[in-house]
Amino acid sequence: MGSPAVRMFHRLEGLFCVYKPAGVHWKLVRDTIETNLLKGVNATPARPLPHEVRFLPSPNKDREVAGGLALRAASVPVLSKHPLVTGPEFQHIKVGVGHRLDVSSSGVLVLAVGNGNRTMRDLYRTRTTRDYSLQCEFGMATQDFTDTGRVVERSTYGHITREKMERVIAMLEGANQKALRMYSSVDMSSQEAYELAAKGLLGPDGKSVPILTGLRCVHFQPPNFTLEVQCLNETQKYLRKVVHEMGLELRSTAVCKGVRRTRDGPFTLQHALTRHHWTAADVAQAMQQHRWKKRSKGRCGTVTDKAVAQTPGETLAASQEDEANREATIAELQCR
Amino acid sequence: MSSACAALCRRCRWLLSPKSSTRLYNVQVQRSMKVDQSARVGNGFSSRGNHTATLTGLSWKRQTSYHHDFTTKYLTTEAKESTDELSRTDATENKPALMPAVDAFTLGKSKKSPDDLDADDECSALEEISEEEAFGISIPPSIPPASTSLQQYVDKSETLTKLVQLGVSLWKLERRPNVGSMLLKLDFNRDVAPRLLFLKEIGVEDSRLGYIISHNPFILSENLENLQARVNYLKSRKFSSETVASMVSRAPYLLNFSVKRLDNRLGFYQQQLKLSSANTRNIVARLPRLLCGSLEPVKENLKVCEMELGFKENEIQHMVVAVPKVLTANKKKLTQIFDFLHNTMKVPHYLITKFPQVLNTKFLRLKERHLFLEYLGKAQYDPNLPGYVSLDRLVSLPDETFCGELASATLEDFYLFQKTL
């Protein structure tokens, strides 16, 4: 309709992503964003109050009117429409969360406002993958696979080499590719399956077990090492369990110190808003940028929504690029 | 004039008949004043000239249909009085020539819907009714007897109007149970005005009156002698008048507590913390809600500081006098911050005592800034070594100054670093 608050709200409808800090529940993030958006929308200047004519007792007692009491007409504002009586125009905004992150993980968290919720649902109905960076450590095994849990076992890790690591990774990747083919809903011995596999579109539709479409060790310095994972239908606890199992495969033990999501579908770290930018103006700007990007991507016709499940080779190239970016920024910081 | 009135009230009678739209019963006389009956008649007479020009707040939708609504709105309560004239005049069915131009407009409208008039033969608007019948017409009240919101009452009640003009958030108060009914029952001149004047006398600013009532509406139902006694007690404890005024402004519930309770609390802070009376006055003046809340959380916080965090009594005294909020802080957050400071940042007790405001900050802020400095190799909190970063500057500087002075980096670098944590 017409009011400035409603116009501001329409500008705030869409998708955007934030960087969730570790140690904060995702619901708190969502509530903080909702509060900030409400502040922004209700800060717009209010509509002027409608007036009505009322008959107030006239102070002038000389006038003689049939009936006795003198009245005069006055135009007074209708107080039942005053914002202190009705409350602010917006008291609730529908903010939805995409794939959730648990308390100790950090990273890209996609949020949708208003009509953007429908767009987000449609986006997730097509197969999107997520990128994670796992900081891990050899030498101990804990109850909940993190470094702060109760220690169950300690072991040596001196015998682990990069080569053994790569062998274990290859074995895990093979198992996951097999799961990918198994959970896709096409018959493996058909022409259709071959064509889909050639394009890289083979995969489960909807719910399935967590599948890692790509796994790579980017940094290896015992006891610490870093893994980069691309996966679908995962939970952060599953990823920590994968690290634990890798430790077991290498005849040692490993825990996950930190899980960080670097990409969720088309949203990457670059687009994520940090805590200081969780205001209505910044959110509106982020949404606008996402819309432009989507429009320009659609025009160029490079990646359609369906072909998002990439082959391991493509994901390796993309993640190498991400890694190069991160190393460049870190080098830049160190120079100062 | 009277015949016009009669014709109009006949139409009104038709419109009040059961077959007509129920909307008209809901169309209330929004503008009826609490004046005598005679005035209401005067209302009707003088309002007729204005009806085409006015638009009421509630009838945005309704005014597009039923143009007669305007006149009937003014006359639904006047129907009773207007029929007095009816009995006195020789009312005839149509006298267009004698009506003023304004009424011809409304009459014309009624003639345009002849099917409606033909529809009800039992009660036609043109039939004459006796005085007894006229008195028997029930008029719906202009304000609902019960409502979940104060919106319907605000225009009628003088108390509510004046409260809105003061700046009281009625929409928040009406959610609280029983507060709305209590506010409606108050009389402005008898109940509200004396208490507001009392608050002004003790020195509270006019702009704060709205805030105080929004948070504590029960101050308007508190006995004036009790309020005066409590203020006298505080003054007897050597709180200056300005201090008392600022305490009442910042803790609206303060004057609702009895003298005994206030005395109890002040005594607790003085004895438990072993502070001098000047220091007790100081912390209570800066954080007046210490006198309002329960003492259990404060006792627990003190135990936590002593046993879990390991602070000595004089250290706790110093911290409380510097930052009284430590007494009402959340225990979990307090222990989380202390754990990070002492075990991760390796800051000893005496430094935390020297800068107690570090216990009052947000944990994430402290963690991000410390990790940034550690990454840059500048996290040095020992005053004896070079490159010392004091804790109070670490947490209280705004972001740009922190990045520029302490970290020698730009704000963008800080944000990029946050994305790697």
Side-chain angles (χ1 to χ4, degrees):
Chain A
M1 252 191 357
S3 86
V6 176
R7 278 199 287 269
M8 177 82 176
F9 178 67
H10 284 306
R11 232 176 291 146
L12 283 174
E13 285 189 313
L15 291 175
F16 69 106
C17 64
V18 298
Y19 190 87
K20 182 188 98 70
V24 175
H25 199 274
W26 63 265
K27 196 146 187 286
L28 193 65
V29 172
R30 194 209 73 89
D31 290 340
T32 313
I33 296 267
E34 188 180 337
T35 313
N36 290 350
L37 291 181
L38 277 172
K39 263 191 229 167
V41 164
N42 289 326
T44 51
R47 265 202 201 135
L49 282 183
H51 279 58
E52 68 179 10
V53 173
R54 256 188 250 173
F55 299 94
L56 308 172
S58 165
N60 193 348
K61 297 280 186 209
D62 310 323
R63 283 177 42 191
E64 281 293 320
V65 183
L69 207 63
L71 292 170
R72 61 180 171 87
S75 178
V76 289
V78 176
L79 280 180
S80 55
K81 303 276 182 228
H82 195 280
L84 282 178
V85 181
T86 60
E89 215 172 312
F90 282 89
Q91 299 197 13
H92 169 69
I93 291 184
K94 208 166 161 184
V95 177
V97 172
H99 293 107
R100 301 189 287 260
L101 275 171
D102 63 4
V103 179
S104 44
S105 326
S106 59
V108 172
L109 185 68
V110 178
L111 295 167
V113 180
N115 287 339
N117 282 298
R118 204 177 302 163
T119 322
M120 188 166 70
R121 223 186 2 238
D122 296 336
L123 175 68
Y124 288 152
R125 227 167 256 164
T126 69
R127 216 178 307 129
T128 54
T129 56
R130 280 155 292 291
D131 253 9
Y132 285 85
S133 167
L134 308 171
Q135 294 277 347
C136 322
E137 191 182 329
F138 286 123
M140 60 177 182
T142 55
Q143 188 84 29
D144 57 356
F145 316 127
T146 60
D147 59 335
T148 50
R150 186 171 66 88
V151 177
V152 169
E153 188 184 327
R154 284 195 198 273
S155 62
T156 59
Y157 48 84
H159 57 276
I160 305 177
T161 61
R162 185 108 196 198
E163 199 193 56
K164 288 188 190 157
M165 181 82 149
E166 299 291 337
R167 223 179 289 156
V168 168
I169 286 178
M171 187 265 297
L172 276 174
E173 262 194 346
N176 274 290
Q177 287 290 324
K178 192 171 163 195
L180 194 69
R181 307 226 186 303
M182 203 157 64
Y183 282 92
S184 65
S185 45
V186 282
D187 183 14
M188 274 300 114
S189 49
S190 68
Q191 176 65 14
E192 192 192 341
Y194 170 73
E195 277 166 16
L196 283 177
K199 283 191 227 151
L201 295 177
L202 209 57
D205 275 323
K207 295 203 190 260
S208 77
V209 292
I211 298 179
L212 310 178
T213 56
L215 180 60
R216 198 167 73 100
C217 174
V218 294
H219 172 73
F220 183 78
Q221 189 114 43
N224 300 313
F225 65 105
T226 311
L227 294 173
E228 288 237 345
V229 188
Q230 285 85 38
C231 43
L232 357 124
N233 288 330
E234 82 297 349
T235 55
Q236 285 81 46
K237 204 163 173 190
Y238 176 78
L239 295 173
R240 292 190 195 104
K241 193 166 162 214
V242 163
V243 171
H244 170 84
E245 281 169 6
M246 253 178 69
L248 292 178
E249 288 291 327
L250 287 164
R251 309 276 193 277
S252 174
T253 46
V255 286
C256 188
K257 284 196 294 196
V259 175
R260 207 181 83 173
R261 188 192 276 162
T262 48
R263 180 185 68 86
D264 184 341
F267 295 95
T268 59
L269 268 186
Q270 206 184 4
H271 312 120
L273 296 173
T274 48
R275 245 163 14 106
H276 308 276
H277 298 300
W278 288 355
T279 57
D282 291 310
V283 165
Q285 199 188 24
M287 281 182 184
Q288 186 75 314
Q289 281 174 350
H290 172 69
R291 265 182 236 134
W292 285 340
K293 202 183 104 186
K294 214 163 70 167
R295 217 173 288 161
S296 63
K297 220 165 62 165
R299 232 181 276 134
C300 298
T302 44
V303 182
T304 58
D305 276 334
K306 292 208 181 109
V308 180
Q310 297 161 312
T311 57
E314 279 179 34
T315 51
L316 279 177
S319 57
Q320 262 167 3
E321 213 178 70
D322 276 336
E323 184 52 35
N325 279 341
R326 214 161 57 94
E327 280 166 2
T329 52
I330 289 174
E332 205 179 66
L333 282 173
Q334 274 175 342
C335 286
R336 285 185 206 249
Chain B
M1 268 259 250
S2 49
S3 55
C5 193
L8 284 165
C9 81
R10 259 180 268 134
R11 206 174 309 115
C12 129
R13 175 99 206 290
W14 163 69
L15 289 163
L16 283 173
S17 68
K19 277 201 181 172
S20 61
S21 157
T22 49
R23 259 189 284 174
L24 285 164
Y25 278 95
N26 297 331
V27 169
Q28 291 145 11
V29 180
Q30 295 302 320
R31 290 172 294 277
S32 72
M33 303 296 294
K34 286 187 188 147
V35 294
D36 340 321
Q37 282 199 348
S38 48
R40 263 193 239 145
V41 173
N43 233 353
F45 282 124
S46 39
S47 70
R48 232 183 293 125
N50 294 330
H51 73 269
T52 43
T54 57
L55 292 170
T56 63
L58 283 175
S59 65
W60 294 108
K61 292 178 197 157
R62 292 180 197 129
Q63 64 108 6
T64 51
S65 58
Y66 288 111
H67 300 274
H68 339 281
D69 278 12
F70 287 116
T71 44
T72 51
K73 262 198 292 263
Y74 288 93
L75 294 175
T76 37
T77 51
E78 282 102 53
K80 228 166 99 171
E81 290 76 31
S82 314
T83 48
D84 294 337
E85 279 86 42
L86 174 68
S87 51
R88 278 186 262 124
T89 62
D90 304 315
T92 51
E93 290 211 5
N94 39 359
K95 278 193 178 172
L98 295 176
M99 311 284 187
V102 161
D103 294 330
F105 159 71
T106 51
L107 256 187
K109 288 277 185 277
S110 69
K111 284 207 174 126
K112 276 184 188 150
S113 50
D115 40 337
D116 285 339
L117 280 172
D118 289 338
D120 18 338
D121 288 322
E122 308 99 45
C123 353
S124 159
L126 305 175
E127 87 181 44
E128 288 182 34
I129 50 171
S130 66
E131 238 181 274
E132 291 83 28
E133 271 185 55
F135 284 134
I137 297 173
S138 63
I139 298 149
S142 61
I143 48 176
S147 161
T148 50
S149 155
L150 286 175
Q151 278 178 39
Q152 279 109 342
Y153 302 106
V154 103
D155 284 314
K156 308 293 186 310
S157 158
E158 189 198 352
T159 318
L160 292 181
T161 312
K162 294 265 163 68
L163 285 179
V164 173
Q165 284 164 3
L166 269 178
V168 175
S169 309
L170 288 181
W171 66 279
K172 277 193 209 161
L173 286 178
E174 69 191 11
R175 285 182 192 178
R176 289 165 67 169
N178 304 326
V179 171
S181 328
M182 182 203 78
L183 287 176
L184 270 176
K185 287 180 193 152
L186 293 173
D187 175 63
F188 187 75
N189 294 318
R190 213 182 43 226
D191 302 318
V192 183
R195 284 161 184 82
L196 292 179
L197 285 168
F198 169 77
L199 286 175
K200 267 192 84 168
E201 267 170 42
I202 58 177
V204 175
E205 305 275 317
D206 291 345
S207 48
R208 291 296 283 180
L209 291 173
Y211 171 84
I212 292 177
I213 302 179
S214 302
H215 286 260
N216 181 19
F218 302 108
I219 203 171
L220 297 174
S221 57
E222 195 68 31
N223 200 339
L224 265 175
E225 284 98 40
N226 287 344
L227 292 177
Q228 188 62 51
R230 288 153 199 171
V231 169
N232 290 340
Y233 167 75
L234 287 173
K235 289 201 177 143
S236 75
R237 285 274 166 248
K238 303 202 196 95
F239 283 98
S240 71
S241 328
E242 297 90 28
T243 319
V244 173
S246 101
M247 278 164 63
V248 172
S249 307
R250 283 183 303 144
Y253 274 99
L254 187 66
L255 290 182
N256 273 43
F257 293 116
S258 64
V259 170
K260 187 171 164 206
R261 186 172 160 149
L262 293 175
D263 188 41
N264 194 15
R265 292 227 175 344
L266 280 173
F268 170 82
Y269 292 119
Q270 187 152 9
Q271 282 145 30
Q272 199 76 357
L273 297 168
K274 299 198 181 57
L275 294 173
S276 68
S277 29
N279 271 336
T280 322
R281 251 177 278 146
N282 184 11
I283 59 168
V284 167
R286 280 154 64 200
L287 194 67
R289 64 164 200 256
L290 283 174
L291 291 180
C292 296
S294 150
L295 286 177
E296 289 309 314
V298 176
K299 288 182 195 162
E300 284 174 19
N301 269 20
L302 286 173
K303 281 272 178 292
V304 160
C305 285
E306 200 187 305
M307 295 182 188
E308 236 181 283
L309 310 186
F311 282 109
K312 293 196 279 281
E313 205 178 288
N314 57 337
E315 290 177 331
I316 298 180
Q317 262 181 25
H318 180 263
M319 287 200 298
V320 164
V321 171
V323 177
K325 207 167 162 197
V326 168
L327 289 173
T328 50
N330 184 349
K331 283 182 283 297
K332 213 166 71 170
K333 290 187 188 162
L334 199 62
T335 39
Q336 193 185 31
I337 292 187
F338 179 80
D339 175 49
F340 188 76
L341 276 173
H342 194 61
N343 300 328
T344 315
M345 288 167 69
K346 308 283 185 231
V347 173
H349 278 88
Y350 78 93
L351 272 179
I352 303 179
T353 317
K354 199 167 158 196
F355 302 112
Q357 60 268 53
V358 83
L359 291 173
N360 197 17
T361 57
K362 290 203 189 355
F363 174 67
L364 264 181
R365 192 175 153 106
L366 178 68
K367 182 170 145 190
E368 283 168 1
R369 287 185 175 192
H370 164 71
L371 288 174
F372 190 47
L373 287 180
E374 196 183 34
Y375 180 72
L376 295 173
K378 296 190 177 168
Q380 210 288 95
Y381 306 113
D382 189 354
N384 306 321
L385 300 175
Y388 165 60
V389 170
S390 73
L391 286 176
D392 63 336
R393 289 191 80 202
L394 175 71
V395 296
S396 49
L397 285 180
D399 278 337
E400 292 114 35
T401 333
F402 164 76
C403 290
E405 289 181 24
L406 292 183
S408 325
T410 65
L411 207 51
E412 282 74 33
D413 293 338
F414 187 41
Y415 295 150
L416 274 176
F417 177 76
Q418 280 179 11
K419 290 196 202 177
T420 65
L421 289 178

